[in-house]
Amino acid sequence: MTHTSLPADDGALLPLDAVRRGPVPAARSARGVPEPAATLPVARVVVDTPLPHLDRPFDYLVPASMDAEAVPGARVRVRFAGKLVDGFLLERAEDTEHEGGLARLERVVSPEPVLAPEIALLARIVADRYAGTMADVLRLAVPPRHARVEAEPQPQREPAEKPSGEKTGGDLGPWAGYPEGAAFLTALAQGRSPRAVWSALPGTGRDGLEWPRAVAVAVRETLRGDRGALVVLPDGKDVALADAALGAVLDPGTHVALTSDLGPAERYRRWLRVRRGHVRVVVGTRAAVFAPVRDLGLVVIWDDGDDLHAERLAPYPHAREVLALRAHHGRAGLLIGGHARTAEATRLVATGWAGAIVADRETIRARAPRVRPAGDDAELARDEAARAARLPSLAWRALRAGLETGPVLIQVPRRGYLPGLACQSCRTTARCGHCGGPLALRGGHAMPYCRWCGRIAGQWRCQSCGAARMRAQVVGARRTAEELGRAFPSVPVRTSGRDGVLAAVGDARALVVATPGAEPVAEGGYAAAVLLDGWAMLGRPDLRAAEETLRRWMNAAALLRPRAELVVLADSSVPAVQALLRWDPATHAERELADRTELRFPPAVRIATLTGSPGAVREMLGDVELPGQAQVLGPVPLDTPRGDQVRERAMVRVPQAAGAALSAALKGAAGVRSARKSPEVVRVCIDPLDVI
């Protein structure tokens, strides 16, 4: 077996230029010598192995009996290192660089060409970008096979006609509120590939939220240009909103939604419709970034700052980066949208790679809520109900006024009842005596328990002062709902969070308590909102704390009616609060980018983290040949439960221009470790969200 030589610049899977060495030799076995295929007898296969030092295609002989079924993109079974393993056939060739005999394909699992050439190229590029293997990326890109679904008769559909009408159909929809909106839609309808970072307006229209309808109109115009579209959203709730909006403007059967809750068979059925070209528009969560949409003309990502866009499986790619790579290499348009803006998206605008779509200030003022910061106001309402609900008087008045005309929203940054406890006397964080984990409370009549090991802390005493009483350090959503229920006894209280996410609520008066990201859409919009405990989000030891806090606040504020009252419990001098007051996420993101550039943090630089046991991390740092401008920070120990294996993390920082060299160096070092069968794994993550 041998492997295809891949170019180092773009990772493209291209035919070899080697001189043909005559008839392709076949490996002898006890079963005899198979007759090779008459034409293109060499199959280049990417084998499903996680070992970095084997991350390359291998050449196999195509027997004549498999000639018709062994098509590029098909799933195959091959013998590799003495075992039968799965793989994908990348291409067929006339010759091989291997000097000896070739092992033959053992079986073509299915002649269905599930791996499209452009997805194979994208997988190679993403693997190199994130110092991973192509096999790991393909596990994310191609869903598991369902033979019964593949065997189902294909629907006979007439080719979809190009939408009629003018280039923009005469209907800009929500894009009419943006000076650059018409030009963006025209470029899509003309088959061009515009790239834009879109700051969406807040508020709800007659038909609910406007951002799903704006996305649907952009997709419609892309179809006018005779190209497909891909829309990636953070979660199933947003997918449902976009799915409904697309259904309202597109013909039936034009698009499909791909989400994890469909079940393996239905998801594979829909995915096959896309691969076979029956559907040209896909909407889904982060796994949909690899959907094989034909003639892709537009990729859209909504709310790119949401951590749900970051893949939890190796090589840990981010949906925004994958879509940007796909748009660049596939010459497709790109739309990064959201109410807030990330520093990464701002960098694309600052470098000129993408343009900005922002509404004028007059339109923003007419649509944005009236924000009133409460700061550290210790003044409580005059009655006992407000004191029990721990609400400043300003927030109390906003809720009471809002309840006269409809539902009101209360955003609580922490889920649960009392997710953080401290000593009543000295305020030291209450920790488990067994593993050192933080203690919490599940309910008003429950015993404190450890959030790490789950043990009940029945006989707890403070390790600092010896006191036995605790106090709440942080109040969760369920405790807040309980308090508000006592403060407003005649108003129904509804909660939305991890235990159950509400998609929507009606226009009747109600108190809706939700954690960030779980806020339901209210019919006609919320009449008022209160954002509690701003210090809990702003005070997190995280590089993205201010950016993430503003994103969560603006996403909640966007659900309000135009000019509705919004109270935020945070100091008005904080830059994130000022950005919310002015509804100016762009300026805040530009300032955030400038600060990170000065401090040399992403996205101004590229960072890789190496996580594992102390010996393994140090060994890998000793093996790797880093670029000349690389700076190693650490290793430093990580906070782990007592008794667990000690882990450390090191960071390697390089300028943006050296990012590819850093990924290649770390991948090479991982390959060396896997080749010598090092027992301990070091996790390599490029540009992680949790830098600090």
Side-chain angles (χ1 to χ4, degrees):
M1 293 180 290
T2 185
H3 67 276
T4 306
S5 299
L6 300 179
D9 54 345
D10 61 359
L13 300 174
L14 300 176
L16 288 170
D17 294 327
V19 178
R20 181 173 174 80
R21 296 184 172 89
V24 176
R28 290 186 176 271
S29 67
R31 290 166 290 181
V33 180
E35 180 185 353
T39 59
L40 303 178
V42 177
R44 296 206 168 96
V45 177
V46 58
V47 181
D48 187 6
T49 174
L51 300 177
H53 69 287
L54 299 176
D55 182 31
R56 58 185 183 271
F58 290 85
D59 286 1
Y60 286 85
L61 178 72
V62 180
S65 59
M66 302 181 190
D67 187 21
E69 292 185 335
V71 297
R75 304 177 200 257
V76 295
R77 295 272 285 175
V78 296
R79 193 163 294 280
F80 189 80
K83 299 179 181 179
L84 281 177
V85 297
D86 295 321
F88 291 99
L89 197 160
L90 295 178
E91 63 177 351
R92 297 273 297 269
E94 284 285 355
D95 47 36
T96 178
E97 289 185 334
H98 185 57
E99 297 291 348
L102 295 181
R104 70 183 183 92
L105 296 180
E106 292 292 330
R107 183 161 69 94
V108 176
V109 177
S110 168
E112 184 80 40
V114 291
L115 181 58
E118 64 272 16
I119 301 303
L121 171 60
L122 178 65
R124 179 72 272 161
I125 295 171
V126 171
D128 292 341
R129 163 72 168 78
Y130 285 95
T133 66
M134 187 173 180
D136 282 341
V137 178
L138 290 178
R139 290 191 201 102
L140 305 175
V142 183
R145 178 178 181 249
H146 282 258
R148 178 178 56 83
V149 173
E150 279 188 5
E152 292 174 353
Q154 299 186 30
Q156 298 296 324
R157 291 185 64 234
E158 295 294 329
E161 294 184 1
K162 186 176 177 179
S164 59
E166 299 295 330
K167 286 296 183 183
T168 59
D171 177 20
L172 297 179
W175 294 101
Y178 304 88
E180 303 87 358
F184 179 73
L185 296 184
T186 300
L188 292 174
Q190 292 176 349
R192 291 184 279 136
S193 304
R195 298 189 292 255
V197 175
W198 164 42
S199 299
L201 284 167
T204 56
R206 292 189 308 249
D207 303 320
L209 293 176
E210 288 198 353
W211 71 260
R213 293 191 292 117
V215 170
V217 170
V219 170
R220 182 196 67 194
E221 297 307 311
T222 305
L223 291 177
R224 289 184 189 277
D226 201 23
R227 304 177 78 184
L230 171 60
V231 181
V232 178
L233 304 161
D235 54 33
K237 181 164 63 75
D238 289 333
V239 170
L241 293 172
D243 186 30
L246 289 168
V249 302
L250 302 181
D251 293 334
T254 305
H255 79 283
V256 293
L258 297 178
T259 56
S260 58
D261 59 357
L262 291 172
E266 178 58 26
R267 179 178 173 82
Y268 190 57
R269 182 178 294 109
R270 296 188 183 189
W271 186 89
L272 278 180
R273 291 178 61 197
V274 179
R275 177 67 186 99
R276 291 167 176 170
H278 298 162
V279 175
R280 302 184 67 185
V281 177
V282 173
V283 56
T285 49
R286 66 173 181 263
V289 295
F290 297 102
V293 179
R294 293 191 182 178
D295 300 320
L296 189 62
L298 175 67
V299 292
V300 181
I301 183 169
W302 172 258
D303 199 13
D304 65 299
D306 196 315
D307 60 3
L308 292 176
H309 284 302
E311 180 58 58
R312 271 61 171 171
L313 301 176
Y316 319 107
H318 194 284
R320 177 190 56 243
E321 304 305 315
V322 175
L323 291 178
L325 289 170
R326 193 166 182 183
H328 176 69
H329 289 275
R331 292 181 172 83
L334 173 68
L335 180 62
I336 300 176
H339 296 298
R341 184 188 286 186
T342 60
E344 287 78 6
T346 302
R347 182 176 177 273
L348 297 180
V349 176
T351 58
W353 193 81
I357 298 180
V358 183
D360 58 72
R361 294 307 303 174
E362 183 177 350
T363 303
I364 292 174
R365 281 192 291 269
R367 297 283 299 277
R370 293 178 291 115
V371 180
R372 303 184 66 182
D376 297 325
D377 181 14
E379 178 190 357
L380 297 176
R382 296 179 177 83
D383 54 31
E384 292 297 325
R387 185 175 296 110
R390 79 179 197 284
L391 291 175
S393 58
L394 183 61
W396 161 256
R397 291 194 299 269
L399 291 178
R400 185 170 55 182
L403 285 171
E404 295 178 359
T405 58
V408 297
L409 174 67
I410 300 95
Q411 185 194 74
V412 184
R414 301 290 180 89
R415 61 176 181 263
Y417 193 76
L418 294 179
L421 297 173
C423 174
Q424 177 74 34
S425 301
C426 66
R427 302 300 193 265
T428 301
T429 299
R431 294 194 172 274
C432 173
H434 176 76
C435 70
L439 300 183
L441 206 62
R442 288 193 176 97
H445 303 286
M447 294 287 290
Y449 76 101
C450 176
R451 290 169 53 190
W452 283 1
C453 69
R455 285 179 167 81
I456 301 298
Q459 303 297 324
W460 177 86
R461 282 193 175 276
C462 178
Q463 296 180 355
S464 298
C465 68
R469 294 177 63 84
M470 302 181 193
R471 69 186 298 272
Q473 196 175 40
V474 179
V475 178
R478 279 193 287 125
R479 174 64 179 267
T480 301
E482 184 180 288
E483 293 176 346
L484 289 171
R486 292 195 295 265
F488 298 90
S490 61
V491 180
V493 180
R494 306 191 66 181
T495 60
S496 181
R498 186 181 65 173
D499 296 334
V501 177
L502 299 175
V505 295
D507 59 355
R509 63 197 303 259
L511 288 158
V512 181
V513 181
T515 52
E519 302 92 347
V521 178
E523 183 180 349
Y526 288 101
V530 173
L531 309 177
L532 290 177
D533 302 338
W535 57 268
M537 292 193 289
L538 289 169
R540 291 182 302 123
D542 192 324
L543 174 68
R544 305 173 188 273
E547 177 184 280
E548 176 66 6
T549 300
L550 180 60
R551 185 189 70 83
R552 294 180 175 187
W553 284 348
M554 298 190 89
N555 284 351
L559 301 175
L560 272 65
R561 301 167 185 172
R563 307 305 298 159
E565 188 168 7
L566 171 69
V567 177
V568 54
L569 270 65
D571 195 327
S572 61
S573 63
V574 175
V577 178
Q578 285 294 313
L580 183 66
L581 278 165
R582 300 190 305 270
W583 201 269
D584 187 12
T587 301
H588 183 271
E590 290 167 358
R591 177 175 177 176
E592 187 80 10
L593 178 60
D595 290 344
R596 294 191 200 175
T597 301
E598 182 179 356
L599 297 172
R600 297 187 63 203
F601 279 120
V605 298
R606 295 282 298 279
I607 279 185
T609 60
L610 283 64
T611 307
S613 66
V617 171
R618 285 170 167 78
E619 182 182 33
M620 187 166 179
L621 286 174
D623 291 340
V624 66
E625 296 182 6
L626 295 172
Q629 296 174 290
Q631 179 185 16
V632 179
L633 307 175
V636 295
L638 296 179
D639 189 15
T640 54
R642 192 181 303 161
D644 282 13
Q645 180 184 10
V646 177
R647 295 190 307 150
E648 290 187 348
R649 185 176 77 165
M651 286 197 301
V652 183
R653 180 166 60 184
V654 298
Q656 277 285 343
L662 173 63
S663 296
L666 292 174
K667 184 174 180 178
V672 170
R673 289 180 55 80
S674 69
R676 66 186 179 208
K677 299 181 180 179
S678 297
E680 296 179 319
V681 176
V682 176
R683 171 180 165 174
V684 177
C685 192
I686 304 294
D687 293 338
L689 294 180
D690 54 341
V691 174
I692 297 179

